[in-house]
Amino acid sequence: GVIVESVGIKDQAFQKLFQGYIQYLPQIMEYHLSHNATIRFTKFHYITEQILKEPYDEQKEKALSRKFSDLVFENIVQCPFVEGAIKFLEYFSNRVPLYLISMSPEDELSKILEKRGLQKYFQNVYANPTAKSEVFQHIISQKKFSPKDAVYIGDSSEDYQAAEAIGIPFIGRKSGKEFPKGSFPVFNNLDEIRAFLITER
């Protein structure tokens, strides 16, 4: 939602994944959409046991995960970049260390980055199940800088809350998700964010 226009892709994948349970689909989607920061495996577990009232085990998890990854992968590989994304990455990757934090599983994320040629821009990439606030703390401790010397760009209220918990300045990118009211800048695309950061510097 920050680098590529991926909002809605995972929502559609959840709908297709459970389309055989049409009578439960509204309840499933309500749960999915209200738990944006919850990893997919936790969602699969809850939906299967609490909504569908079916047994859940490792085999079931692997099957759901494989189908979900297949539904998501091609769409994320093919969706357009956010306006100004490549310019932003090329400009800042030559000046400051960039890190990518995602809720996607590591193997899936690696394939997406490889397909889109994005690995070269990041010093490190972090995937689930590590919490975003834990990643921030790890990077800050490892690189020995103050949270105020960093900036986190996100597209959801959960992103803002993770940054706020550590004291990292936050910039929002409008992708269609709701932000809490706060004293942080919000922009439409990465061209606007790049211009803002250059000016602020």
Side-chain angles (χ1 to χ4, degrees):
V2 172
I3 296 174
V4 296
E5 299 286 8
S6 61
V7 170
I9 289 176
K10 291 182 181 179
D11 301 341
Q12 293 165 13
F14 258 92
Q15 284 186 312
K16 288 181 181 178
L17 191 63
F18 294 102
Q19 63 187 354
Y21 299 91
I22 191 69
Q23 69 272 36
Y24 297 105
L25 209 47
Q27 192 179 350
I28 289 170
M29 292 309 296
E30 182 183 359
Y31 168 76
H32 161 64
L33 293 170
S34 63
H35 291 78
N36 191 55
T38 302
I39 63 172
R40 67 185 63 169
F41 306 108
T42 301
K43 290 184 180 183
F44 295 158
H45 195 166
Y46 180 89
I47 290 168
T48 302
E49 287 194 342
Q50 302 302 318
I51 298 178
L52 304 180
K53 306 298 182 185
E54 294 182 354
Y56 187 83
D57 55 23
E58 188 178 348
Q59 186 177 355
K60 180 81 169 179
E61 181 174 277
K62 284 181 178 178
L64 288 171
S65 181
R66 185 170 57 252
K67 288 178 187 174
F68 188 82
S69 290
D70 289 345
L71 288 167
V72 165
F73 180 76
E74 282 304 322
N75 285 324
I76 291 185
V77 164
Q78 293 173 14
C79 71
F81 281 107
V82 169
E83 185 179 342
I86 296 301
K87 242 189 239 184
F88 180 99
L89 293 170
E90 287 178 348
Y91 181 88
F92 283 108
S93 64
N94 290 318
R95 290 166 172 81
V96 295
L98 299 181
Y99 300 89
L100 178 66
I101 308 170
S102 174
M103 292 292 290
S104 299
E106 186 175 359
D107 57 342
E108 181 182 301
L109 183 61
S110 294
K111 289 176 186 175
I112 290 169
L113 293 175
E114 183 182 353
K115 273 277 191 180
R116 302 206 68 146
L118 293 171
Q119 312 99 312
K120 61 187 177 184
Y121 297 114
F122 300 103
Q123 279 222 350
N124 213 337
V125 174
Y126 297 88
N128 83 35
T130 309
K132 291 183 178 182
S133 56
E134 290 178 20
V135 173
F136 297 156
Q137 197 64 65
H138 169 74
I139 295 170
I140 288 167
S141 299
Q142 187 183 57
K143 296 297 180 182
K144 299 182 176 9
F145 59 77
S146 165
K148 298 298 181 188
D149 294 329
V151 64
Y152 181 49
I153 303 169
D155 75 327
S156 70
S157 59
E158 290 85 1
D159 287 336
Y160 167 71
Q161 288 158 8
E164 179 76 0
I166 305 298
I168 296 176
F170 180 78
I171 295 175
R173 188 262 148 170
K174 291 180 186 176
S175 68
K177 297 178 185 177
E178 292 293 322
F179 284 116
K181 291 181 180 178
S183 56
F184 56 88
V186 178
F187 298 98
N188 291 307
N189 56 57
L190 286 168
D191 269 338
E192 293 178 2
I193 295 174
R194 180 170 60 92
F196 171 77
L197 288 172
I198 292 170
T199 304
E200 287 296 300
R201 186 190 64 181

